[in-house]
Amino acid sequence: MTTIASNLQGVRQRIAKACAEAGRDVNEVTLLAVSKTFGPDAVRVAHGAGQAAFGENYLQEAVEKIALLADLPLQWHCIGPIQSNKTRLVAAHFAWAHTVDRLKVAERLSEQRPADQPPLQVCIQVNIDGGASKSGVAPEDVAALAHAVAGLPRLALRGLMTIPEPAADFEAQLAVHRRARQLYDSLRASGLALDTLSMGMTADLEAAIHAGSTLVRVGTAIFGGRA
Ligand SMILES: *Cc1c(COP(=O)(O)O)cnc(C)c1O
């Protein structure tokens, strides 16, 4: 087995174990393979090992990679910051965008989504731990943005996404992820039909799954360390 294939198997086992410990059905958690900085060959190997959904951060790199892999039935997720002058690329090339944090960006994505494609699936990025240099909407502003985004015709609002600062241990990771879960539950209670909580990476996917993550974004544990 190639390294990527055995790494993928290891990550799937981590997800299954975390789901079992949290009393959750493993089918509730999607694995997004984060392929940023790795070439199309690595993505091909991962696809050959059964992986279909891939996340990319850097638009130029992503657009080139997506074109080189157009022969495969892959699902591409934008997980990097979206500048408002780059929305057209995101709207044209991705199935999902996890990092919507302003209404202006959401409106442009909706206007620019090509008519021959299904609605762009989106998550609102929340700055859940108040990291100063981080993108993401403040928790207290999420509800207003979510209800506005939910009304845009060419977007399908699916849920929330977070990138917490690295935390010291499992309990600290869990505490932050639980705040995101509460926010997600409160939006659902307010009438939004959300089904996606995008949180958890290589270092904290277990805590994220315990808190209710439905999509973990994993790069390092699949493809190895990045330069
Ligand atoms: C790079 C990245 C990941 C993957 O992180 P790893 O620690 O390598 O698993 C997940 N989400 C986002 C938004 C990222 O930028």
Side-chain angles (χ1 to χ4, degrees), residues 53-190:
F54 292 87
E56 289 283 337
N57 288 56
Y58 312 109
L59 272 183
Q60 201 52 49
E61 175 193 342
V63 168
E64 287 169 21
K65 210 178 291 182
I66 291 168
L68 291 168
L69 293 163
D71 56 308
L72 298 180
L74 306 178
Q75 184 185 66
W76 292 99
H77 294 234
C78 174
I79 61 170
I82 306 174
Q83 293 163 341
S84 54
N85 63 346
K86 296 285 168 55
T87 50
R88 192 174 294 280
L89 284 175
V90 176
H93 294 283
F94 289 87
W96 282 68
H98 291 230
T99 43
V100 170
D101 63 357
R102 281 172 292 156
L103 186 56
K104 181 183 173 196
V105 162
E107 286 170 342
R108 291 174 62 95
L109 289 171
S110 182
E111 281 159 18
Q112 294 167 346
R113 182 65 167 173
D116 63 346
Q117 294 193 39
L120 182 67
Q121 312 297 301
V122 301
C123 291
I124 291 176
Q125 183 178 351
V126 187
N127 186 351
I128 195 66
D129 53 3
S133 62
K134 266 207 320 233
S135 40
V137 63
E140 61 270 26
D141 297 331
V142 169
L145 180 58
H147 283 275
V149 170
L152 295 172
R154 298 289 294 142
L155 302 186
L157 179 64
R158 299 293 294 270
L160 301 179
M161 179 269 206
T162 63
I163 317 175
E165 294 298 312
D169 55 31
F170 181 86
E171 290 304 324
Q173 293 170 353
L174 189 59
V176 177
H177 288 316
R178 281 196 168 136
R179 294 215 300 274
R181 168 65 185 274
Q182 280 167 8
L183 203 50
Y184 174 74
D185 286 346
S186 72
L187 293 176
R188 282 164 50 104
S190 78

Side-chain angles (χ1 to χ4, degrees), residues 34 36 57 79-80 161 163 200-203 217-221 226:
V34 178
K36 65 184 177 201
N57 288 56
I79 61 170
M161 179 269 206
I163 317 175
M201 319 199 309
T202 291
R217 309 178 309 265
V218 179
T220 307
R226 292 179 293 272

